[in-house]
Amino acid sequence: MSTKGFGYILFFFIVFQSSLFAKDLPTCYSVQLLSSKKKIIPTKKYPSTSKVFFIHGIYTLRDGCFDSMKEAKKHYKKLKKQFKNSILVSTYKFRFKKDYLHSENKLTLDAKNMQQRSSAEKKCLKKPQQYPWELIHSKELQSVIDTNEFKTFTPPKIFQDKGEYTQKNFKVSNNIFYFYINPYVAFYQGQESTDKPKLQGDIEKITLGMQWLYRINPYWNFYTDTRLISYRNYKNSLEKKDFVLDIKELYLQSDLLFQNQANLLIGRKNIYDSRSWYYHAPLDTLKIFNKHDLFLYELYAGTRLNSNIVIEGTSSSNKHNLKNIKFVIAHLSYEYFKANKTEFFGIYENTDTIEQRELYWLGLRFIGYLPFSQYNLQYWLDLSKVQGDINKEIFPNDIDGYAYDIGFKYTFNSLSDMVAFSYAYGSGGNKLYTQPYLTNNKSDFLQRHLYFRHYGSFLDPELSNMKIASLYYSHLFQNKQSFLIALHNYKQDTASYIQYFTSRFTLQPNGKSTDIGNEIDCIYGIYYQKEYDLRTIFSYFFGGNAFDTVTTKKDGLYGQINFRYFW
């Protein structure tokens, strides 16, 4: 695709996004006194001005609606003396209007209205008219409607104690420990040729870890995820064993500083964007960011002080050793319409490896829901441009390429089935594009809690001199178990006998055909937060014409079992 075509795509999405623009709903600060899975009945001990709401399937009791954080803090300090578990939240003003009914009552009235349809209407219609409340599960509808409900002053879910997770109570502890054990097994059978040994191997890994959150005060939190890892890696008759201490995360983070407009984080943090397309890596960083606003920003700068563990063929976050990497990241996000965002990315990356990379990326992301789809049809578009240098002995030309990833995801009204399609392009030839070392194309964007590499688990390519068409189908069982099947088709942008930044399980192509091949991935997962989770993956790769004459066996397969148990 030409640069002109790239510009047409950008222009179309800017126009499309502008057409969705609407006025933002006004918000205010409130004090949340109580939240519970069970219905809350206010008693005399609570302020007479407090109101009960039903949000995300949870009942909450809130008091006050203040325009400024200063006023809210004064009210919060008064109530905190009597209600120890109260917290500050940001919410919508319309909730506190006298005529506002929280979603449970509203849906009850809607159901009654539906039952009171006239018999004439039923007789006249061949098919009964379908009302919105008949098409969407009420609790899930409320979850979608409240997507923009600002997060409360509580730690992220992975930090919450078991009482909150099981929803028996909602107390926040100041000192939370979790221990976990994580056995992992993987195997692969790659391509083979007459003059090279078959690419094959297996990996066994066991991890014993500890996650610890310490809330120093209402404004500062300390968190660490520290692990002992023992692994064996067998590859092409070569065996490697090791036992290492790995600090995945260790950082100090603020909350509510400058009314949440300039928070700080310092230490090692696993940073990522929502699709892991620009960055996803545990790095030593200084981060400045804001929270609870329609306009959000994140600024990162740092390095990686020691080597990260890279084991070929595993679910390790990154395929490259990031030690001594230098990076600066700017991420801006604006939610201009309900659940629709425009995001900007700027990334500088300098690596002191044999490749000696010094690269700059500029990127845009448009993501949200089509307005006529009742939040069933989601879209995304990522656009990226890279420039810079890589070791001239490897890349004689300057790096100056572009890439995009466009896709749609449709969730059926049952909310248990999903289909998605995406097309990704990374330029090749003299306009070669490469993704940052900081990323891994692995996220749960398509199916929550089901992390997988969305460009394929076997080939696992970076988007460089590549065209990737992907089709996904997922089924969710009782909100805890999920199954996903993915089909991928790979083609080179420019036929080349070198395919950079791709799988360790394939040989280099013949340079005559662009047909790299196809892959099918089957992924099954179980997720019980802070109890246990399981993920199994099986992938089969069908080699294309690009491997004719250079391989005697073009196909390959990969499988893994990854289990984690908490206590």
Side-chain angles (χ1 to χ4, degrees):
M1 178 177 285
S2 66
T3 305
K4 187 176 180 181
F6 181 78
Y8 284 146
I9 293 176
L10 176 59
F11 175 76
F12 167 77
F13 260 79
I14 290 176
V15 173
F16 169 72
Q17 296 263 319
S18 301
S19 68
L20 298 179
F21 188 86
K23 186 178 179 181
D24 301 321
L25 293 174
T27 61
C28 66
Y29 297 99
S30 182
V31 180
Q32 182 168 295
L33 306 173
L34 180 65
S35 58
S36 173
K37 186 71 174 177
K38 297 180 179 179
K39 192 169 185 177
I40 296 175
I41 301 176
T43 61
K44 292 182 179 180
K45 72 174 184 177
Y46 295 107
S48 59
T49 54
S50 61
K51 296 189 69 175
V52 177
F53 305 105
F54 186 70
I55 304 171
H56 298 303
I58 302 298
Y59 292 92
T60 66
L61 181 66
R62 297 177 179 180
D63 187 55
C65 183
F66 302 94
D67 290 325
S68 71
M69 175 65 80
K70 187 175 180 181
E71 292 178 296
K73 281 184 178 179
K74 288 182 181 179
H75 193 57
Y76 167 74
K77 288 178 181 179
K78 293 178 183 178
L79 295 176
K80 184 71 174 177
K81 296 176 182 178
Q82 183 179 357
F83 307 103
K84 303 298 182 183
N85 295 322
S86 59
I87 55 177
L88 279 173
V89 298
S90 183
T91 187
Y92 292 119
K93 284 186 176 181
F94 70 80
R95 296 189 183 283
F96 290 88
K97 291 182 179 179
K98 291 183 179 180
D99 57 348
Y100 174 74
L101 294 173
H102 67 66
S103 62
E104 186 191 54
N105 287 341
K106 185 177 184 301
L107 288 167
T108 301
L109 291 175
D110 287 340
K112 289 181 179 178
N113 292 335
M114 181 182 68
Q115 292 173 357
Q116 293 172 359
R117 289 185 195 169
S118 66
S119 57
E121 177 189 357
K122 293 180 181 178
K123 291 178 181 178
C124 292
L125 295 174
K126 292 182 179 180
K127 290 185 178 181
Q129 182 180 346
Q130 289 187 310
Y131 289 80
W133 53 81
E134 294 178 289
L135 299 175
I136 301 177
H137 189 279
S138 61
K139 290 185 179 179
E140 295 295 338
L141 171 62
Q142 183 63 30
S143 177
V144 171
I145 291 173
D146 289 316
T147 299
N148 203 30
E149 177 71 13
F150 296 107
K151 294 180 180 179
T152 60
F153 175 54
T154 55
K157 286 185 177 180
I158 63 167
F159 302 152
Q160 296 171 354
D161 60 15
K162 292 183 178 179
E164 180 159 1
Y165 167 66
T166 56
Q167 299 178 337
K168 292 179 180 178
N169 60 69
F170 287 80
K171 296 180 180 179
V172 177
S173 172
N174 289 326
N175 200 16
I176 303 170
F177 282 95
Y178 277 107
F179 295 94
Y180 63 90
I181 187 169
N182 179 197
Y184 175 95
V185 178
F187 70 92
Y188 57 90
Q189 298 284 328
Q191 295 178 331
E192 60 180 302
S193 66
T194 54
D195 59 341
K196 292 183 180 179
K198 183 178 182 179
L199 300 173
Q200 61 181 341
D202 59 79
I203 305 102
E204 296 86 36
K205 179 166 67 81
I206 187 164
T207 302
L208 182 64
M210 178 196 72
Q211 296 176 350
W212 176 33
L213 170 71
Y214 180 64
R215 297 172 60 81
I216 301 170
N217 57 45
Y219 300 98
W220 290 95
N221 298 326
F222 169 80
Y223 177 75
T224 183
D225 185 346
T226 304
R227 313 178 292 178
L228 290 171
I229 302 176
S230 176
Y231 70 89
R232 169 189 171 274
N233 185 13
Y234 175 82
K235 177 184 178 183
N236 300 335
S237 303
L238 298 176
E239 184 180 57
K240 180 181 178 181
K241 296 181 179 179
D242 207 350
F243 183 80
V244 294
L245 171 66
D246 179 55
I247 300 177
K248 182 179 179 180
E249 294 188 291
L250 191 154
Y251 60 83
L252 188 67
Q253 177 176 314
S254 72
D255 202 353
L256 293 173
L257 287 187
F258 304 103
Q259 298 185 8
N260 264 327
Q261 295 308 304
N263 284 299
L264 298 174
L265 180 147
I266 184 168
R268 178 165 298 171
K269 180 76 170 71
N270 189 29
I271 66 173
Y272 53 88
D273 68 89
S274 61
R275 296 190 62 245
S276 298
W277 203 71
Y278 292 99
Y279 53 90
H280 185 167
L283 298 166
D284 302 313
T285 183
L286 172 66
K287 175 185 177 184
I288 303 174
F289 63 103
N290 71 334
K291 297 167 64 176
H292 310 331
D293 207 339
L294 295 175
F295 175 78
L296 299 174
Y297 73 87
E298 296 176 312
L299 303 175
Y300 299 91
T303 184
R304 171 83 190 200
L305 298 177
N306 68 331
S307 298
N308 53 299
I309 299 172
V310 178
I311 309 173
E312 295 179 9
T314 70
S315 60
S316 299
S317 294
N318 300 87
K319 295 187 288 185
H320 307 283
N321 191 341
L322 302 175
K323 183 179 180 181
N324 295 329
I325 189 174
K326 302 176 184 66
F327 68 91
V328 177
I329 300 173
H331 174 212
L332 309 177
S333 172
Y334 181 64
E335 184 173 355
Y336 60 89
F337 184 64
K338 191 74 168 179
N340 288 267
K341 298 179 182 179
T342 298
E343 301 179 54
F344 166 82
F345 297 86
I347 301 175
Y348 167 76
E349 182 182 285
N350 187 320
T351 57
D352 193 22
T353 63
I354 188 172
E355 292 184 1
Q356 299 175 3
R357 293 160 52 107
E358 185 173 14
L359 300 170
Y360 304 82
W361 286 265
L362 289 178
L364 284 174
R365 172 175 293 160
F366 305 99
I367 189 169
Y369 292 86
L370 296 179
F372 54 80
S373 67
Q374 296 184 335
Y375 296 95
N376 289 90
L377 185 58
Q378 186 177 20
Y379 68 89
W380 69 87
L381 172 66
D382 278 300
L383 305 168
S384 180
K385 172 74 173 176
V386 63
Q387 287 185 326
D389 296 305
I390 298 182
N391 189 331
K392 294 298 184 182
E393 295 181 5
I394 303 175
F395 295 91
N397 299 317
D398 292 340
I399 299 297
D400 183 11
Y402 66 94
Y404 61 84
D405 186 316
I406 183 171
F408 297 90
K409 170 185 169 183
Y410 183 80
T411 303
F412 292 89
N413 289 324
S414 63
L415 298 169
S416 61
D417 294 285
M418 174 278 293
V419 293
F421 171 79
S422 70
Y423 182 80
Y425 171 85
S427 59
N430 294 330
K431 294 288 185 179
L432 186 68
Y433 179 85
T434 177
Q435 290 182 278
Y437 269 4
L438 302 177
T439 194
N440 59 15
N441 297 319
K442 177 185 174 184
S443 71
D444 66 343
F445 173 74
L446 288 175
Q447 180 63 68
R448 192 180 180 191
H449 303 312
L450 193 64
Y451 287 87
F452 67 98
R453 300 188 188 274
H454 48 256
Y455 290 152
S457 295
F458 176 89
L459 192 64
D460 188 20
E462 292 184 27
L463 197 55
S464 177
N465 191 30
M466 268 285 186
K467 301 174 183 177
I468 307 173
S470 301
L471 182 65
Y472 308 88
Y473 167 76
S474 175
H475 181 75
L476 186 65
F477 303 89
Q478 299 179 351
N479 296 325
K480 300 295 182 182
Q481 304 176 54
S482 53
F483 173 78
L484 183 142
I485 185 169
L487 304 175
H488 307 282
N489 174 261
Y490 307 101
K491 292 185 182 297
Q492 288 184 315
D493 179 41
T494 302
S496 173
Y497 62 90
I498 297 178
Q499 182 60 46
Y500 299 105
F501 319 121
T502 190
S503 172
R504 274 54 166 180
F505 313 144
T506 59
L507 301 171
Q508 292 295 346
N510 56 29
K512 298 177 181 179
S513 172
T514 60
D515 180 22
I516 295 294
N518 300 281
E519 180 174 324
I520 180 170
D521 295 344
C522 298
I523 305 164
Y524 173 76
I526 305 175
Y527 183 83
Y528 284 83
Q529 183 173 305
K530 283 297 175 264
E531 293 184 22
Y532 67 87
D533 53 75
L534 169 70
R535 184 173 67 252
T536 62
I537 297 176
F538 179 80
S539 302
Y540 195 92
F541 175 74
F542 304 88
N545 296 332
F547 297 105
D548 288 346
T549 71
V550 297
T551 63
T552 56
K553 183 179 182 300
K554 296 191 292 185
D555 297 353
L557 59 89
Y558 170 79
Q560 70 160 256
I561 301 175
N562 193 357
F563 177 74
R564 187 169 54 166
Y565 177 77
F566 291 88
W567 71 92

